[in-house]
């Protein structure tokens, strides 16, 4: 199917195939780069789960490139989170932490407390020292549902400022 309908069909097809444990076949999507990026992201995750790490990395990098060219921060953040998971499974904790910090910065930029909390939970065990772990924990607490309005800009500045 052409257009947006075809793109959505390709995403659903890929998702159903992955749920069944089958391969998500590459399929070009015309007209909507964000849907194409999402498809690459799904395919990248499926490739990693199947042990095809290089293929998974290529697809996630393709998704990242599209999201970057489109300026779509939620997509950028989610790909950085996926890349962090892949790096963790490969034992590259420093690279994983760097991807998670990029994802966190993007989540803070768009004031996404729910996903920023999740990223911080994953970052805490990867902190390079106790002070950084305390900083992550404090930020996570400031994003709790019952906390005062988060200080988004302050957290973004602190994230970019080394201890």
């Amino acid at each position: 199917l052409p257009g947006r309908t075809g793109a959505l069909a390709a995403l659903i097809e890929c998702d159903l195939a992955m749920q069944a444990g089958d391969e998500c076949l590459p399929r070009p999507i015309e007209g909507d780069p964000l849907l194409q990026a999402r498809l690459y992201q799904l395919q990248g995750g499926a490739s990693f789960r199947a042990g095809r790490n290089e293929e998974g990395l290529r697809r996630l990098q393709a998704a990242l490139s599209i999201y970057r060219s489109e300026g779509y921060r939620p997509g950028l953040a989610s790909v950085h989170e996926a890349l962090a998971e892949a790096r963790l499974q490969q034992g590259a904790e420093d690279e994983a932490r760097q991807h998670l910090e990029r994802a966190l910065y993007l989540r803070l930029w768009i004031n996404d407390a729910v996903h920023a909390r999740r990223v911080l939970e994953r970052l805490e065990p990867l902190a390079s020292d106790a002070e950084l772990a305390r900083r992550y924990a404090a930020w996570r607490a400031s994003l709790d549902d019952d906390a005062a309005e988060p200080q988004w800009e302050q957290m973004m500045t602190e994230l970019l400022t080394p201890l």
Side-chain angles (χ1 to χ4, degrees), residues 31-110:
D32 194 334
L34 294 179
L35 286 174
Q36 180 67 56
R38 182 68 182 128
L39 182 59
Y40 283 143
Q41 196 173 348
L42 285 170
Q43 291 170 336
S47 296
F48 277 114
R49 283 188 294 283
R52 297 187 309 270
N53 295 341
E54 290 303 315
E55 177 183 308
L57 187 58
R58 275 194 316 275
R59 289 184 178 178
L60 288 178
Q61 291 294 344
L64 193 65
S65 177
I66 292 170
Y67 286 140
R68 191 174 288 132
S69 69
E70 295 294 315
Y72 188 63
R73 288 182 183 97
L76 287 166
S78 66
V79 170
H80 278 296
E81 291 171 36
L83 286 166
E85 285 303 315
R87 294 303 187 202
L88 277 175
Q89 291 190 7
Q90 295 170 343
E93 287 188 2
D94 285 340
E95 283 185 56
R97 184 178 41 77
Q98 290 169 3
H99 281 293
L100 287 171
E101 286 177 347
R102 288 181 187 133
L104 177 61
Y105 186 84
L106 291 159
R107 297 296 185 191
L108 294 173
W109 183 298
I110 60 176

